[in-house]
Amino acid sequence: MTQEIPVIYTEASFSHRPQYEVFRGEKEPHAETVERVENILQALRASGFTHINTTTIDGMPWIEQVHDAAYLDFLKQTSDNVDASVADKGVKPGDVKAIYPSVHPYVPNPRATNPLAERGKYMFDMYTPIMQGTYEVAVESAACAVAGAKLLKDGEKQVYALTRPPGHHAEEAMMGGYCYINNAAVAAQYLRSAGADRVAIFDFDIHHGNGTQNIFYGRDDVFFASIHASPDIKFPFYTGYEDEHGEGDGAGFNYNIPLPEGIDDATYDVHVAKVLKRIRDFHPNYLVVSAGFDTHAKDPIGAFRLTTDYFGKLGKDIASLEFPTLTVQEGGYATDVLGENVVSYLKGFRER
Ligand SMILES: [Zn+2]
């Protein structure tokens, strides 16, 4: 096995170009940009990472195990027809045609057949537009995570999947928070199918991983732990509370640590130690990390004050658990330092 951490990405990421998110009724430039992946790849190459490959794996079997069939069908049909179905009225040259919701369900278990109603049924915000080809790009991003997980199964100890679009906000039947398919969940499901009895997921994105929590909330074979900004201050607002422990068989297998604004390295580190202890006690065969670098001090949509150096310590501490670990890229929007942060984190693993 190589000493170097293999990196997997997909060329499909470069064709994913959401233009606007609708925030408080205003169209604002989308934060989840293609520059993010460019910056990360550039930083990795500049730091001597050479095992950087694109994925060729088919992730569909595991995507279909964690997502609702009607949801996947809606996403595919809709994204296949965006250019044909969105009117040209108001579309300026250079604009990317995109679909946003206009109405959300006002009844439990909504039935929806009208396309406008389906949008609301399957989208929980206006940050996550469907564009022509979005389905394929999201499927490829999840395939990256599966390809990374397969390397673990084949004996690698550490792998980094540069997934874009990110995934941790995508629920079984809901897109949102720039996420369409839950890459980390698909990877965990792959590892279960490949023979693992237990998989742990540690989500350190500043936003609560509502999608991953949703997918595994009733299961005891996948332990989900998340450290994030309190729902009182940050998206996705409606989940991420401390008392969300899981339900049914999953009771006790969901662990949330919501934190106030302005957390620094030292305080954060105390909470990381608690998560790592819980993961160790769970004895997983594999660990999947949902890595969001929007906890960095410079992040434009963040709220914490973590430093680039700290991500090195975080990587080293995670590696010290000695579980085969797949790191899946989630958020991080300070594009100029995103690559440095990823490199610092992965070098922490290498030091170990
Ligand atoms: Zn985030």
Side-chain angles (χ1 to χ4, degrees):
M1 282 304 121
T2 161
Q3 283 299 97
E4 192 163 308
I5 298 175
V7 175
I8 312 271
Y9 75 103
T10 170
E11 290 289 336
S13 286
F14 298 105
S15 63
H16 182 58
R17 292 172 182 269
Q19 192 175 7
Y20 296 114
E21 47 192 276
V22 179
F23 184 66
R24 293 182 173 153
E26 301 287 336
K27 276 178 161 183
E28 294 200 351
H30 208 283
E32 207 286 280
T33 61
V34 76
E35 286 76 24
R36 297 179 60 245
V37 73
E38 289 169 352
N39 186 265
I40 292 171
L41 281 173
Q42 197 176 36
L44 289 170
R45 289 184 176 124
S47 306
F49 286 79
T50 54
H51 296 268
I52 301 177
N53 290 297
T54 51
T55 173
T56 50
I57 217 162
D58 174 15
M60 277 321 291
W62 303 284
I63 291 172
E64 286 169 349
Q65 285 174 30
V66 302
H67 287 289
D68 175 75
Y71 166 69
L72 291 173
D73 193 50
F74 163 79
L75 182 55
K76 175 162 177 32
Q77 298 306 326
T78 308
S79 85
D80 281 354
N81 290 300
V82 173
D83 282 348
S85 65
V86 176
D88 290 326
K89 182 171 166 271
V91 176
K92 295 189 277 301
D95 274 358
V96 178
K97 285 187 172 182
I99 283 182
Y100 297 83
S102 301
V103 62
H104 291 282
Y106 48 86
V107 291
N109 307 313
R111 288 176 289 180
T113 53
N114 185 294
L116 206 55
E118 283 192 304
R119 286 179 206 174
K121 181 180 170 183
Y122 293 123
M123 288 177 169
F124 69 77
D125 61 22
M126 296 184 74
Y127 308 158
T128 318
I130 299 178
M131 296 148 292
Q132 188 77 28
T134 296
Y135 173 80
E136 277 76 21
V137 170
V139 163
E140 277 305 298
S141 184
C144 259
V146 173
K150 185 171 184 302
L151 289 178
L152 290 190
K153 195 196 91 170
D154 294 345
E156 289 286 354
K157 293 296 175 226
Q158 312 294 343
V159 180
Y160 171 59
L162 175 38
T163 45
R164 177 177 180 272
H168 74 146
H169 294 303
E171 301 192 344
E172 184 186 358
M174 193 74 89
M175 65 194 86
Y178 314 156
C179 302
Y180 307 87
I181 290 177
N182 195 313
N183 308 315
V186 173
Q189 188 65 30
Y190 166 85
L191 290 165
R192 284 283 292 117
S193 309
D197 293 324
R198 286 174 308 281
V199 179
I201 302 177
F202 174 22
D203 186 328
F204 70 75
D205 190 283
I206 198 162
H207 304 99
H208 178 239
N210 62 292
T212 319
Q213 170 170 307
N214 163 263
I215 288 167
F216 297 116
Y217 207 59
R219 288 171 52 169
D220 60 5
D221 57 332
V222 178
F223 172 70
F224 177 66
S226 176
I227 304 178
H228 47 268
S230 160
D232 301 337
I233 55 170
K234 279 287 166 189
F235 181 92
F237 303 119
Y238 302 106
T239 58
Y241 291 96
E242 221 166 343
D243 60 1
E244 295 162 5
H245 298 300
E247 64 186 11
D249 289 347
F253 296 90
N254 193 85
Y255 183 39
N256 284 331
I257 303 184
L259 298 176
E261 211 158 343
I263 294 294
D264 62 10
D265 294 346
T267 312
Y268 192 85
D269 203 47
V270 172
H271 297 287
V272 169
K274 294 195 283 186
V275 165
L276 298 188
K277 181 179 184 318
R278 287 286 299 268
I279 291 171
R280 192 181 282 117
D281 292 348
F282 180 66
H283 297 297
N285 305 93
Y286 297 100
L287 173 61
V288 175
V289 178
S290 270
F293 296 89
D294 38 14
T295 45
H296 188 265
K298 280 182 74 176
D299 200 275
I301 63 174
F304 292 171
R305 293 189 288 134
L306 302 191
T307 61
T308 299
D309 283 348
Y310 178 73
F311 291 118
K313 177 173 193 303
L314 181 60
K316 196 171 170 180
D317 288 351
I318 293 171
S320 76
L321 294 174
E322 295 186 337
F323 298 121
T325 301
L326 170 68
T327 295
V328 174
Q329 181 63 44
E330 302 285 0
Y333 305 97
T335 309
D336 56 331
V337 291
L338 179 57
E340 285 171 44
N341 288 338
V342 172
V343 165
S344 171
Y345 169 80
L346 293 177
K347 278 189 169 167
F349 270 94
R350 265 203 312 215
E351 268 178 47
R352 174 77 199 179

